[in-house]
Amino acid sequence: MRFCVVLLLVCVGLVWGAPAVGWTAEGPAAAVDELGGVREELTMVPMRDGVKLAVALYFPKGDGPWPVLMEQRYAGARDLGSRKAFAELARGGYVVALANFRGSQTSEGVWQGYRALGWGELKDGYDLVEWLAKQSWSTGKVGTFGSSQAGFAQNFLAVTRPPHLAAQYMIDTGLSLYHEGYRIGGTTRPERFKGMDAVCRVGAHNRALLEEWLQHPTYDDYWKAEDCSLHFDKMNVPCVSIGSWFDFMNVGSIDSYIGRKGRGDVLSRPNQSLVIGPWLHGRFKETNVTNEMTFPENAKFPMTRHMLAWFDHHLKGKPRAEILEPEVRYYVMGALGEPGALGNEWRTATDWPVPAKLTPLYLQAEGRLGAEAPVADSSATTFKADPLHPAEIPTRAFPGGIDARKFEAQAEVRTFTTEVLEQPVEWTGKVTAELFVTSDCPDTDFIVRVTDVYPDGRSMLLIDYVRRARYREGYEKEVFLKPGEVAPVTFDVGWISQIFAKGHRIRVTVASTGAPFYEPNPNTGEPFTLDFPTNARVATNSVRHERAHASRLLVPVKSGE
C-alpha cells in the first residue's frame, strides 16, 4: 500500500516540478535491513550515444533470475520512505528499476523533457528496457509502470517496440505534450514550467527548453514529434490505463485506452484494460476522499494488488486473476450524504465509451440553463478578462471535488443554472462546449466548468477546461478575433460519469480568467513570451445566447435502461 502512495505523489512533478533529490553511482545505497531484506544498487546505464542515466535497482531475496519492472521519471525518490515502498514491490518477486530522464536529477546529458524517450534519434526508454532484459539477474521480461510523467513515458516507450517489453501499467497518463502538457487548451504555462528547473541537473537547460517551446506556438512538426497518439498502430503490448474523474489528464488516460484498443497493433488490441475512479491526479487510488468529497468505501481501488496480478500474468505466466476482470470498469458518482441517492457504484463494460445520447443544454438569459433553445434575437452575457487582476482559482492542482462558490462569486465570473431537478439525470461520457463569443481584443480565453449544486447551495466542481480563442479553428494555426464579430469556440470540457440527484441543480460556469490555475492571457494576440508582457490588455468578452448564436453544452445523457 505504501508503494501506491509514493508512486502517485511523485508524479505531480509533471505539473508542478519536484525537488532535485538524486544520486550518483557511488552514492550510498540503503542497508539491506532498512529495506526488509531487499538489496538496493545504484548504477549508471549507458544509452546509445554514450550518455549514462541514473538507475536505482531493487533486488528481492534469492538468486533469481526475476522479471523486471521499470519506471522512468524525472522526479527524485531517494528518501527512505520511497525506497522502502519500491522494496515492497520488489518483494513481489521482481527487480524494480527506477530510471531518471536524461538531464534530470543526476542523469547525464541535456534535459529535453520527453523528447529523448521516443522514436527519434535517441531512444532512451528502448535502451533501458533492452539493457535490463540482458542482465544476468533478469528473465528477459520487462514491464513498465508509473503515473503522470511515468505514464507519458510509457506511451513514448510503446511506440519504439522494445523486443523485451511485455506489459505496461499506466496511471493518469498522457499522449501529446502539446495538448496535455505545456499547452492546455492552447494556453501557455511558463510560470508552472519554470519550476522544472529544480529537477534538472543543469537548471539553465530547462529555461532553454521553454524558449524553444515558445518558437512553436502552433501544433507543428516539432510537437508532432512528441505526440504518441499518431503512432497507436505501433503499440503492441498489453496495457492497463487508470484514469481519474477529477484530473485534467483523464483525457490522456481514456484516449490511451481507446487508441490502443481500436488502432493498436493487432496483438495488443485484446489485451487492453481501463479503470476510471473518483480520484485526483497523482493521488493515492486506495482512497475514497477527493478534496471536500468523501465517497463510500467502495471508491477505494486495490491498485497495488491489481497491478501485481497484471504483471504476474504477463511476466510470470500465472493464470489471469479474477481481480483483472472485466476489461472496463468505471465509477458512477452521485450525491454524497443523501439517503437513497443513486450512483456511487462501480459499473463494468466491454468497451469505452458506453452508449449515451448527446443532448443539448443551452445557456440562457439571466443565468438560466435548460433544454430549450433561446428565442431572443439578441441576448448575451458579458464579463471582463483582466490579466493583471484575474479571477482567482488559488491552486496549481485541479480543484475538483471542492465547493466552487468562492470562484463563482467573483465579479467577472458568470453562472448558468438549471431549475431543481425533478428526476435524477445521468451523464456518462464526454461533455463538449459550443460557445458563440465576442471580444474587443484579438485573443482571450474561455473557461467552462460543470458543477453539481446541492440543496444546501454547495456547488461541487466536477470538470472544467479552457480554450484560447486564437486556436478556436484548430491548433495548427492562429486565427485572431475581430472586435464585435461573433465567433464559434468549441472544445471538450471533459469526461464524466455522474448522476445528478433529484432535488439538485446542474450549473455551468463561464469566465475568462482563473489564476494561478490558468495563467492569464495578455489578450494582445502577440507571440507568447517566457515573462509576462507589460502591455497586457483588459478584454470585454461576451457569450451569446440568442436564436442565431445559441451557446450550449452537449452532454452524454444515459438512460436508466
Side-chain angles (χ1 to χ4, degrees), residues 332-336 338 341-344 361 369 418-428 431 449-455 459-463 496-508 553 555-558:
V332 184
M333 301 177 291
L336 299 176
E338 297 181 7
L342 300 177
N344 298 320
L361 198 58
L369 183 68
T418 66
E419 299 293 334
V420 173
L421 299 178
E422 296 182 358
Q423 297 294 334
V425 177
E426 179 180 340
W427 296 2
T428 295
V431 175
R449 312 178 111 201
V450 175
T451 57
D452 180 5
V453 182
Y454 280 64
S459 182
M460 306 307 293
L461 179 62
L462 300 171
I463 53 175
I496 192 172
S497 186
Q498 169 77 24
I499 296 179
F500 297 92
K502 178 181 178 180
H504 286 223
R505 293 179 293 162
I506 301 170
R507 177 169 293 161
V508 172
L553 264 63
V555 303
V557 175
K558 197 173 189 308

Side-chain angles (χ1 to χ4, degrees), residues 331-377:
Y331 194 88
V332 184
M333 301 177 291
L336 299 176
E338 297 181 7
L342 300 177
N344 298 320
E345 63 183 15
W346 287 97
R347 289 189 191 158
T348 63
T350 56
D351 204 357
W352 187 269
V354 297
K357 181 180 179 181
L358 279 182
T359 304
L361 198 58
Y362 292 94
L363 279 59
Q364 301 169 340
E366 299 177 347
R368 291 178 290 113
L369 183 68
E372 305 81 17
V375 297
D377 290 330

